[in-house]
Amino acid sequence: MHRRKIALRWAIGVFFGSLLVLTFLSNTIQSLTLPKVAVETPDTGSLDLSVDAEGYLQPAYTAQLIPLGSWTVSEVKARKGDRVKKGDSIVTFDTTTTQRSLEDEQARRKQEQIRLEQLQDALKLLMRGDDQDAIERQKRDMESQQLSLDMEQRKVEELERQISDGQVLRAPTDGVVESLNVEAGANVSPGQPVGTIASDASGYQFVISASGDAGDALSIGDKVTVQVDGADAPQTQTAAGVRGKKALSGPDVRQLQGTISTIEEGGDGADSDAKRVTVDISGTDLSPGLKATAYIPRQSQSPGLKISTDALKSDDNGTYVFAVTDKEGPLGSSYFAEKAYVTTGEQTDDTVLILNGLGPDERVVTDASEPLSDGDRVRLE
């Protein structure tokens, strides 16, 4: 009888132990099927709206190099990237064809001059008589001939100007040869540009992109500290004190002062909501294509809780996040995702300021393995 009681106790103990193990295993297996979520806790403070961007210098004004005639290139005296002064020789041309045309036109002008003199001699003879009609006709012929002579004179002057002004194509301004698309022996056409000069007088500019409230915080006329990497230019001022992640370093980096000249809607690439910001720069020995960076420090007007923009959701009732809550049970903690409607403030590409609706110690879902609904049970990564 005593042995039967002991056996019964063992059996009951094994039964309840097995039941507990099976319950635990069942709970564990069930938890593995729950949505897996990544969470973060909010940071407290002001939102960093600083703009940290880079670009490449472009001339504010580019002067074109335009030949005056249909000529052959004799010599190219400059190369892309060369610094030139106004009046420097860039390209010389063989103007033989225009010279021949000039000689032909000069001969025609002489012919027209001789014809006019002949008409003048004939008029003198007619003036001795009294045929007024013949005299009037002769005067009209002389007037017509004078017009023909004037036309030939203008043709000669135009060809002389082409040769005088166009035989040597000169730099129209101080600057840098930005492009030059000819070589010796090439044929050119009048009015068709063969190259460009980036003007020093007009300065340089570069374009950066600023998204969200960081872009909204900028204004035309704002001063910008710009770093320029000019390995071919003398260093006039060190770049100490510029903090951006994209700040340049090295002995050839210069720090210049820039000014925001334009702010346009629509950035580059996929970020169509970004602002397109043009920064004007002046300085010596700048040239097209030099790398430039701008760091513009800005902070949000008021502090708050900062979370990732990936956490934001929206429905007909407004903007919300999923906050994770936990409930203790006999077998441990269970986690649930619950909607928390929030009021948002300023934001950047990856961070948003929460003004109301969220506590500093709450865990906010930033990513989930599958779509969530209010009250869903979840498991943490």
Side-chain angles (χ1 to χ4, degrees):
M1 187 70 177
H2 179 68
R3 290 181 177 178
R4 292 180 60 186
K5 289 182 178 180
I6 293 175
L8 180 61
R9 290 172 183 169
W10 271 101
I12 294 173
V14 169
F15 172 77
F16 280 107
S18 300
L19 186 63
L20 287 173
V21 170
L22 290 174
T23 303
F24 177 77
L25 291 176
S26 174
N27 190 63
T28 301
I29 293 172
Q30 182 185 16
S31 68
L32 293 176
T33 65
L34 297 175
K36 184 168 65 173
V37 298
V39 298
E40 68 176 16
T41 55
D43 291 328
T44 303
S46 297
L47 186 63
D48 184 10
L49 298 177
S50 299
V51 176
D52 187 11
E54 62 184 19
Y56 294 89
L57 294 190
Q58 302 171 355
Y61 170 72
T62 298
Q64 293 184 324
L65 299 172
I66 303 176
L68 299 181
S70 298
W71 298 322
T72 301
V73 176
S74 296
E75 184 181 2
V76 179
K77 296 189 173 184
R79 295 178 300 175
K80 181 179 178 181
D82 285 354
R83 183 164 294 280
V84 295
K85 294 291 186 181
K86 182 177 181 179
D88 284 354
S89 175
I90 306 297
V91 181
T92 60
F93 300 103
D94 179 359
T95 60
T96 301
T97 54
T98 304
Q99 186 65 44
R100 290 171 180 168
S101 297
L102 174 60
E103 292 170 355
D104 291 342
E105 293 301 332
Q106 287 172 333
R108 292 190 184 94
R109 181 183 63 180
K110 184 63 175 177
Q111 289 174 340
E112 297 296 341
Q113 180 66 40
I114 293 172
R115 175 60 179 160
L116 179 59
E117 292 173 355
Q118 290 173 342
L119 292 174
Q120 290 172 342
D121 292 341
L123 179 61
K124 292 176 182 178
L125 294 175
L126 289 173
M127 294 291 288
R128 295 174 184 175
D130 58 358
D131 189 345
Q132 293 300 318
D133 291 339
I135 291 173
E136 291 300 324
R137 285 194 301 271
Q138 191 67 12
K139 288 181 178 180
R140 286 195 295 271
D141 289 344
M142 287 174 57
E143 184 178 356
S144 177
Q145 184 59 33
Q146 183 64 55
L147 293 174
S148 297
L149 179 59
D150 292 343
M151 290 174 59
E152 286 300 326
Q153 179 64 30
R154 287 193 294 271
K155 290 179 182 179
V156 168
E157 291 174 352
E158 175 60 23
L159 291 173
E160 289 175 339
R161 186 191 67 82
Q162 282 188 22
I163 295 173
S164 174
D165 296 347
Q167 187 172 15
V168 178
L169 189 54
R170 300 183 182 278
T173 182
D174 292 352
V176 176
V177 178
E178 185 178 26
S179 65
L180 201 54
N181 308 317
V182 292
E183 58 184 15
N187 294 320
V188 299
S189 300
Q192 296 298 316
V194 298
T196 54
I197 302 291
S199 172
D200 282 344
S202 300
Y204 285 81
Q205 56 188 206
F206 76 109
V207 178
I208 60 176
S209 182
S211 303
D213 290 303
D216 293 337
L218 301 179
S219 301
I220 292 176
D222 283 354
K223 299 300 180 182
V224 180
T225 299
V226 179
Q227 287 184 309
V228 177
D229 186 2
D232 60 342
Q235 185 175 356
T236 58
Q237 186 178 353
T238 61
V242 179
R243 292 183 292 126
K245 293 180 180 179
K246 298 181 181 179
L248 302 174
S249 61
D252 299 313
V253 174
R254 293 185 292 160
Q255 182 172 313
L256 302 173
Q257 192 74 10
T259 304
I260 295 177
S261 59
T262 63
I263 301 176
E264 301 173 341
E265 297 291 338
D268 297 328
D271 193 359
S272 59
D273 294 331
K275 297 287 194 304
R276 181 180 172 88
V277 182
T278 301
V279 180
D280 288 346
I281 309 169
S282 295
T284 59
D285 298 301
L286 298 177
S287 60
L290 292 181
K291 188 175 183 179
T293 66
Y295 179 70
I296 311 172
R298 291 286 191 278
Q299 295 289 324
S300 60
Q301 294 183 355
S302 56
L305 299 179
K306 298 180 290 185
I307 64 171
S308 170
T309 53
D310 293 335
L312 292 181
K313 312 290 181 184
S314 63
D315 59 18
D316 292 340
N317 295 321
T319 301
Y320 66 91
V321 298
F322 281 110
V324 174
T325 60
D326 60 288
K327 297 180 181 178
E328 293 294 334
L331 299 177
S333 298
S334 298
Y335 300 98
F336 298 89
E338 298 181 355
K339 281 185 179 181
Y341 285 91
V342 295
T343 302
T344 61
E346 295 161 305
Q347 70 177 66
T348 62
D349 290 338
D350 54 10
T351 307
V352 61
L353 202 63
I354 302 299
L355 304 179
N356 192 21
L358 199 63
D361 298 324
E362 296 199 57
R363 290 171 291 185
V364 179
V365 175
T366 58
D367 189 27
S369 60
E370 58 186 78
L372 300 177
S373 297
D374 189 22
D376 279 354
R377 187 180 172 195
V378 297
R379 59 191 175 105
L380 304 180
E381 283 190 348

